[in-house]
Amino acid sequence: MPVSIRLDAVLPYDHDLRRIPETARLAESLGFQALWAAETRHNPFLPGPLIAEHTRRLHFGTAIAVSFARSPTTLAYTAWDLARQSGGRFTLGLGTQVRGHVERRFGMPWPDSPVGKLREQIGALRAIWKSWQEGKALKFHGEFYRLTLMPPFFDPGPIEHPAIPIFIAGVNTGLARLAGEAAQGFHVHPLHTPRYLAEVIRPAIASGARKARRRLEDVQVSVTAFVIPDDSSREEVRQQIAFYAATPSYRSVLALHGWESAGEALGRMAARQRWEEMPSVIDDTILAAFAVDLSRSAEPAEALRLRYSGLADRLSLYLPLIPGERTAFWRQLLDAWEAG
C-alpha cells in the first residue's frame, strides 16, 4: 500500500554548510522526500545549491525564509537559480515572522496588513517569473510593490521548470486562507494540535481555495511535528513548546483548548526573561496534545500516521537530521513508513 503522507527531513538550526553534502546524501539514501532549511541562525537558501549538487531526486526548500526581510525581486532571482540548478526540485517557503523580529532584528517595516503584503509578494514573484519565462515586459502594480523595469541585461531568461512551488507558513486563519487562495502549500507551525489542524487550519485553507476557485488538493499541508523520541528529550520538548506558546500571536492554538491562562503566564515569564520557569507551565496534558511520544510507542511510524492521517500531506519531525545521530531511529522509521 503506498504511503499517502510524504516524510521529509529538516536541517538543524545551527547547520554547518560544510556538512550539508553529507546530510543531503543521508536524507536521500534513507528515503526522505525533501530536506528543509529554516531561517534562524543561518541563511536558509545557502544549503540549496549543495543539496541539489549532491543528490538526484531529493526535493528541498526553505521552511521558512522571512519574506518581509526581502524584496520580491531578490527572492525571484534566488528561487529561479535554485530551480534551474536542481531541475525543478526547489520549493520557496515564505513566512512573515512576527513584528518584533521584522522591525528589530531585520530592520524592515512591518505592514499594516501582513496577509495583504504576503499576497502581493506572491503575485509579484509570479509576475517576475512570467516576465523572464515569456520574455514580456514586467508589469506589476500593487499597494506595496510597483515593478515595471526588467531590461534584457537583468533578465536571466527562461528555465526548464518555471512553475516554482510557493509554500507559506502560519499559525492563524488569515495566512491559512491565503495559502488556499494563492500558494501551493502551507507550512504548519510546530505549535499545533491535531484538533487545531482539523477544526481551524484545514477549514481555513479550504475556504481560501473555494474563494479562488481552486481545488483543495492543489494545496499541500506540510506539518512539522513535535516528537519525543526518548525519555531524555522529554523536558527539552516541553521547554520548546513553552517558548513558542509564549508568543501572543500563537495564542489561538491554546485558546481552542481552553489554555489561555497558560499562554498568559508564559508571556509574563518571557517578558521578565524567566526562561527556566516556563516549562513548568506545560503540564503533561498540554505536552501530549502538542507532541507525539514515540518513546512509549512500539510502532513510531504507525503512531505518526494515525495522528496525521487526513490532516497532513507532508510530515517532518521537529528533530533535525544530523549524520551520525539517531541513524538507527531514522532508518527504522523510514523502513516502517515505506512498508505502510
Side-chain angles (χ1 to χ4, degrees), residues 5 7 194 223-228 291-294 297 299-312 315-318 329-330 333-334 337:
I5 303 176
L7 197 60
V223 172
T224 300
F226 280 121
V227 296
I228 301 171
V292 189
D293 192 347
L294 302 183
S297 174
E299 299 181 0
E302 188 61 19
L304 289 166
R305 202 189 316 274
L306 287 174
R307 187 176 178 103
Y308 289 106
S309 178
L311 297 176
L315 178 64
S316 305
L317 306 190
Y318 196 87
F329 167 82
W330 290 121
L333 180 65
L334 268 295
W337 200 263

Side-chain angles (χ1 to χ4, degrees), residues 125-145:
L125 280 164
R126 295 207 170 111
I128 295 166
W129 292 335
K130 183 177 180 180
S131 169
W132 293 343
Q133 190 67 17
E134 299 180 2
K136 296 180 180 179
L138 174 61
K139 293 181 180 180
F140 183 86
H141 298 270
E143 178 184 354
F144 300 96
Y145 302 104

Side-chain angles (χ1 to χ4, degrees), residues 13 189-193 223-229 236-245 287-294 304 307-308 315-319:
Y13 289 151
H189 195 281
L191 192 74
H192 69 265
T193 66
V223 172
T224 300
F226 280 121
V227 296
I228 301 171
E236 182 180 348
V237 174
R238 196 189 304 271
Q239 183 179 27
Q240 190 63 54
I241 291 171
F243 170 75
Y244 281 134
L287 181 66
F290 285 111
V292 189
D293 192 347
L294 302 183
L304 289 166
R307 187 176 178 103
Y308 289 106
L315 178 64
S316 305
L317 306 190
Y318 196 87
L319 192 66

